[in-house]
Amino acid sequence: MFSVLKKIRLPQPLEWRGDKVRLLDQTLLPLEEVYLDITDYREMATAIKELKVRGAPAIGVAGAYGMALGGLQIKARSKASFLEKLHAAAQTLAGTRPTARNLFWAIERMEKAARNCGRVAEIKQALIAEAVKIHETEVDNSMKMSRKGARLLKSGCRVLTHCNTGPLAAPGYGTALGVVIYAHRQGKKVHVYADETRPLLQGARLTTWECQKAGIPVTLITDNMAGWLMKRGEIDCVIVGADRIAANGDTANKIGTYSVAVLAKEHNIPFYVVAPTSTIDLSMKTGDEIPIEQRKPEEVTHIGGIRFAASNVAVVNPAFDVTPARYITAIVTERGIIRKSFEDGNLKFPIRIRQ
Ligand code: MRU
């Protein structure tokens, strides 16, 4: 399975191993490469919550495998009882991270696959097959998005990224960083500026590591340096991923993305979003409807378990923000590139999205 992954030689976040999931613990990277074997859907829910596996498409695949593990754990005589127990597992997994659409997309697909089975005996295998299919689909989507998006990058370009959007976040090549990796492999000269991405430093820890693995020149900056670099003419485009895209193109992504988008507009720099259609949520008309995950204060007051802020200080810690569609130059998906319409400045969705 996944012979294509062998060929692309990039670190992958997780792998199905017959009756368990082997998962690369992203909280320990880049200092330690530790793999965890997950056999219980509750362990998978904890791994998602604690960001051992993270990034919207990877969370979706992890959720699907969590459901497959849940299925293997169920003891039930009737289909109705099996589906009821599976739904309880679905709720546990869905309760981990509210913003990434991919998680809910994957869980809904898994429950549908179970419902479509005739007998209890078939359901467990059908769940595994569906989870593997979701994984394969996301790998394929990643390759297609990367190829399509690479057309937007000229040789010599300096690309600003936010958070982590490479293969660790989206199996295959990744989303935004996948585009850069693809362009680099086409022989284009590209240079990545990676925002460190406070509070959990996915840019500093994961993006720099992935770029080094892929042989792409990368410069790490703190989040508050982006405006200065743009003003000096040192950034040619911004490429980010997405956790959920509303029907009007408003895009939820890692906290800080909105600030980068506003800066890009001020400096007339193209701002691209790269995401599979599994991230698009047509049930939400605008970004105002997207649920934003709030995380614990310690992520802001501490780094590496060490407190540096005054004790008991009030903290707010939204994990994501929403960038209005008017700041986005184009959204790259596996099905094509969605561009801004010149009439109303908003993004148009000319491609048909099956949800
Ligand atoms: O909290 P995280 O690390 O899961 O946030 C990840 C991001 O915000 C990514 O930019 C996003 O998932 C899109 S790219 C896979």
Side-chain angles (χ1 to χ4, degrees), residues 130-343:
E130 185 67 6
V132 170
K133 199 161 143 202
I134 286 173
H135 192 174
E136 280 174 334
T137 303
E138 288 298 39
V139 169
D140 190 50
N141 288 344
S142 159
M143 319 266 295
K144 288 182 177 144
M145 289 185 287
S146 302
R147 194 179 66 241
K148 289 186 162 67
R151 285 190 229 135
L152 300 168
L153 300 188
K154 291 200 184 88
S155 192
C157 67
R158 296 150 304 173
V159 181
L160 181 76
T161 67
H162 192 70
C163 196
N164 171 257
T165 61
L168 291 170
Y173 276 97
T175 56
L177 197 67
V179 166
V180 179
I181 294 172
Y182 199 93
H184 169 77
R185 291 190 172 181
Q186 283 177 320
K188 290 181 186 167
K189 225 174 129 227
V190 278
H191 190 107
V192 170
Y193 282 87
D195 276 352
E196 67 171 352
T197 318
R198 276 283 289 148
L200 294 177
L201 305 174
Q202 289 93 330
R205 295 186 301 105
L206 308 176
T207 302
T208 57
W209 184 75
E210 284 179 333
C211 283
Q212 287 178 347
K213 292 258 178 208
I216 298 172
V218 56
T219 302
L220 173 64
I221 61 169
T222 61
D223 297 341
N224 48 5
M225 293 174 188
W228 175 242
L229 289 178
M230 288 184 187
K231 189 160 184 285
R232 285 164 54 93
E234 291 179 35
I235 303 293
D236 299 303
C237 69
V238 179
I239 309 193
V240 298
D243 282 78
R244 195 183 292 239
I245 301 173
N248 71 340
D250 290 355
T251 293
N253 191 49
K254 179 54 59 194
I255 190 77
T257 304
Y258 171 54
S259 317
V260 177
V262 174
L263 281 169
K265 195 173 177 85
E266 170 66 21
H267 294 92
N268 220 3
I269 294 169
F271 182 93
Y272 300 118
V273 171
V274 185
T277 49
S278 50
T279 304
I280 297 175
D281 186 351
L282 295 178
S283 77
M284 300 198 168
K285 286 199 176 66
T286 75
D288 293 342
E289 294 173 51
I290 299 176
I292 299 296
E293 177 183 3
Q294 301 291 327
R295 294 186 62 89
K296 56 183 184 188
E298 289 74 19
E299 293 180 352
V300 176
T301 55
H302 292 58
I303 287 189
I306 298 170
R307 179 158 62 82
F308 60 87
S311 57
N312 299 323
V313 66
V315 168
V316 59
N317 187 14
F320 302 96
D321 58 27
V322 176
T323 299
R326 66 179 181 280
Y327 290 100
I328 301 170
T329 312
I331 298 180
V332 179
T333 75
E334 77 280 7
R335 310 266 293 277
I337 300 182
I338 303 163
R339 286 182 190 274
K340 208 185 288 192
S341 125
F342 291 102
E343 291 105 64

Side-chain angles (χ1 to χ4, degrees), residues 66-126:
M67 290 287 285
L69 292 174
L72 288 178
Q73 291 170 261
I74 291 173
K75 290 189 178 67
R77 291 219 176 127
S78 71
K79 183 177 167 186
S81 150
F82 191 102
L83 292 182
E84 200 180 308
K85 289 178 178 165
L86 188 68
H87 190 61
Q91 283 179 315
T92 302
L93 288 158
T96 53
R97 301 201 70 194
T99 306
R101 167 65 192 146
N102 310 59
L103 176 62
F104 305 92
W105 168 84
I107 290 173
E108 283 158 22
R109 265 185 64 160
M110 294 296 288
E111 287 207 279
K112 191 169 166 203
R115 279 196 304 273
N116 286 346
C117 283
R119 288 180 299 125
V120 175
E122 294 165 14
I123 305 182
K124 295 188 184 203
Q125 286 314 311

